[in-house]
Amino acid sequence: SAVISQKPSRDICQRGTSLTIQCQVDSQVTMMFWYRQQPGQSLTLIATANQGSEATYESGFVIDKFPISRPNLTFSTLTVSNMSPEDSSIYLCSAECSGNTIYFGEGSWLTVV
Amino acid sequence: SQQGEEDPQALSIQEGENATMNCSYKTSINNLQWYRQNSGRGLVHLILIRSNEREKHSGRLRVTLDTSKKSSSLLITASRAADTASYFCAPFSSNTGKLIFGQGTTLQVKP
């Protein structure tokens, strides 16, 4: 299995500000993904973080709002820009490991006030 | 779509009883993965079953897969209060390389 660490685990942010979430995997992985889970909802895929190239965004998500970095095979960041209360969610990082098994981090719980 | 759809949406049982959750999907898959999510936490990977497997066990968990019916089931035997959580199935296809989640099944195990 893989251990995926996310920071911060929880934060309260002022509207209009931006926050960067970090995701560290304890082994090298090819594919990393970012999800959002709004209160009481299921997980929605934001984007696939590609190493060495731009992230691939799902419909409804744009790079200006959710810029993603993937500088190497073990690390990625997701920035939530110009936050509004609607961005209050759990943001989850995941990574595809051997045998196509996909593991998740503990999530970063953001509240925008 | 590749999304898994869980049924029922909610399930409430007594401790010691078995819990069965079902999953249906519409596309061809390479494997199907089941996850548990405790309230406000991340997803815990429970089990992965490959498209050429019909049944898999892990502790008190039993997963079946019927690719002809495009369905899977998760059985939790001798449930415990600590099993109270949301459970998600996630069909995986190497064509897309990503997991799309349905609404999940919310399981409540009463002590």
Side-chain angles (χ1 to χ4, degrees), chain A residues 23 30-37 43-51 53-70 76-80 90-96 102-104, chain B residues 96-101:
Chain A
C23 178
T30 305
M31 306 294 285
M32 294 181 73
F33 307 90
W34 287 98
Y35 288 82
R36 180 177 74 182
Q37 187 176 31
L43 285 79
T44 302
L45 180 63
I46 297 172
T48 302
N50 305 306
Q51 197 268 331
S53 64
E54 273 196 3
T56 304
Y57 289 84
E58 297 297 309
S59 176
F61 297 95
V62 295
I63 188 171
D64 289 347
K65 176 67 175 176
F66 297 101
I68 288 171
S69 79
R70 179 84 194 274
S76 179
T77 67
L78 168 74
T79 299
V80 186
I90 302 173
Y91 292 85
L92 296 116
C93 171
S94 67
E96 182 182 344
I102 297 181
Y103 294 99
F104 283 77
Chain B
T96 64
K98 56 191 178 185
L99 298 181
I100 306 297
F101 289 86

Side-chain angles (χ1 to χ4, degrees), chain A residues 81-111:
Chain A
S81 303
N82 188 25
M83 285 184 285
S84 66
E86 292 72 35
D87 294 319
S88 297
S89 297
I90 302 173
Y91 292 85
L92 296 116
C93 171
S94 67
E96 182 182 344
C97 301
S98 63
N100 303 134
T101 305
I102 297 181
Y103 294 99
F104 283 77
E106 277 294 318
S108 299
W109 195 318
L110 302 188
T111 301

